[in-house]
Amino acid sequence: MRGIDRGRSAGIGALCVLAASVLWGTTGTAATFAPDVGPLAVGAVAMGLGGLLQALVATRQIARSIAGLRDQRGTVLLGAASVAVYPLAFYSSMHLAGVAVGTVVSIGTAPLASALIERVIDGRRLTRRWMLAAALGLLGTVLLCVAEAAHAADGTGRASVADTLLGVGLGLVAAVTYALYSWAAHRVIARDIPSRAAMGAVFGIGGLLLLPVLAVTGGPLVNSWSNAAVGSYMALVPMFAGYVLFGWGLAHVPASTATTLSLLEPAVAAVLAVLVVGERLPATGWLGIALVVACLAVLTTPSPAHRRSRGQPRKPAGDKGRTGADYDGQPASGGTVSVTGRPASTKGRSGAAR
């Protein structure tokens, strides 16, 4: 039954990432309720305070894992630096190009960056299922971008073409840094560090790096109750609660799978931008959202082999009958859930967050 348990673990991890993505999808819309607060201040308060709060609640776990974290200080610092850069690029992208396109570019291209990182550094081979899902998600992302760019070009959009292009560029920076800190956190977790300690260390240091930015730009946050409420919401709900869920997810699925599942975020952001903010999304944009949903369906639907295995008795040791692998499928040898079908390091499973 070990394969079934691993499949269930992967399913729980996927649900955690999807729940985090829904929370993240609200950030762009929430930011519009504090128009006097600049994107750098929004990013600094959201990720800065949210990251410090993660470190605070994980103090005990971080203290117990301090030796292991010190051994992986290079990975931790890389993740922390990426955490500091990501929100500044992400919120600036949304400010310049609009909520929908900024979110879509930042999150929509992250799976490709994540896959490249895992391929180059970890030597992972990606499955056909993942490549199909990524292709659908990327096409959906491109359609959303095209729809927003055309909207800007015809003079009915909120952003100019130049702002849209600069916003797309910053969105790509956000995508790379998102992929980097996701990979770094997953790598630390896979090396016998509890997910809460790993996320607390990476995001806590990242939060410290953002404090100077908050000190310089955060004045408008305390100018009104509404601005303060937006800042508090951003730090507590999408950033703190969202990244706790994301950390649990990373304990059960690899970074490339997590970043692909988070393609739900731009779809949520685009819908909220239309329903709440009042942005208009052409038919091409809605088609893009449909393709993103199709991408998620491909990734999260159990494979036929996995469905059959749930009703079969446990096979004797040494049985090689289970050869297929998808994003949540494990080879018979076990190990961490892998999008590649190869067992990742088995270290750290006992340390993953419960």
Side-chain angles (χ1 to χ4, degrees):
M1 304 296 288
R2 198 179 292 174
I4 296 176
D5 291 339
R6 282 193 297 268
R8 185 177 296 115
S9 174
I12 292 172
L15 287 175
C16 287
V17 175
L18 290 174
S21 301
V22 171
L23 295 181
W24 296 337
T26 67
T27 58
T29 296
T32 63
F33 288 95
D36 297 333
V37 182
L40 297 183
V42 170
V45 71
M47 207 72 132
L49 296 188
L52 291 175
L53 188 56
Q54 280 204 60
L56 180 64
V57 300
T59 300
R60 190 171 301 175
Q61 290 85 352
I62 292 173
R64 289 200 211 107
S65 306
I66 193 67
L69 290 169
R70 189 180 297 116
D71 290 341
Q72 300 182 67
R73 56 185 174 275
T75 303
V76 171
L77 291 176
L78 174 63
S82 300
V83 164
V85 173
Y86 168 75
L88 305 181
F90 177 54
Y91 288 101
S92 295
S93 175
M94 288 194 296
H95 177 74
L96 290 168
V99 172
V101 71
T103 306
V104 165
V105 174
S106 300
I107 306 304
T109 56
L112 299 181
S114 183
L116 182 60
I117 291 169
E118 290 188 355
R119 181 71 179 124
V120 172
I121 300 178
D122 299 332
R124 292 185 184 274
R125 290 185 300 107
L126 302 174
T127 63
R128 283 178 292 181
R129 171 186 275 219
W130 185 91
M131 288 189 284
L132 172 61
L136 289 171
L138 182 60
L139 180 57
T141 297
V142 169
L143 288 177
L144 271 168
C145 288
V146 168
E148 285 292 322
H151 196 199
D154 67 13
T156 61
R158 292 174 178 246
S160 68
V161 174
D163 283 348
T164 298
L165 292 176
L166 181 56
V168 167
L170 288 170
L172 293 175
V173 173
V176 172
T177 50
Y178 174 39
L180 277 173
Y181 73 67
S182 299
W183 172 83
H186 177 76
R187 188 179 182 88
V188 173
I189 291 169
R191 294 189 173 183
D192 209 20
I193 303 295
S195 68
R196 186 174 293 180
M199 297 292 284
V202 170
F203 281 79
I205 297 173
L208 287 174
L209 295 175
L210 284 167
L211 287 182
V213 179
L214 181 59
V216 172
T217 65
L221 286 166
V222 295
N223 285 346
S224 69
W225 284 108
S226 61
N227 289 354
V230 168
S232 299
Y233 170 81
M234 301 278 270
L236 293 174
V237 180
M239 294 305 147
F240 173 65
Y243 278 101
V244 167
L245 289 167
F246 190 65
W248 290 343
L250 282 175
H252 301 288
V253 297
S256 55
T257 297
T259 52
T260 306
L261 287 169
S262 64
L263 286 172
L264 179 61
E265 178 185 347
V268 171
V271 171
L272 288 177
V274 171
L275 297 180
V276 180
V277 181
E279 294 186 7
R280 293 177 55 194
L281 195 63
T284 307
W286 290 109
L287 177 58
I289 291 177
L291 288 174
V292 169
V293 173
C295 157
L296 299 175
V298 170
L299 272 183
T300 56
T301 302
S303 64
H306 176 65
R307 286 196 296 266
R308 287 195 300 269
S309 70
R310 301 185 71 170
Q312 293 176 352
R314 181 178 177 180
K315 294 184 179 181
D319 191 322
K320 305 298 182 183
R322 203 171 162 236
T323 58
D326 48 40
Y327 101 97
D328 61 353
Q330 294 288 340
S333 57
T336 305
V337 176
S338 174
V339 71
T340 67
R342 293 169 47 195
S345 170
T346 56
K347 296 178 181 179
R349 302 313 305 150
S350 62
R354 303 300 192 269

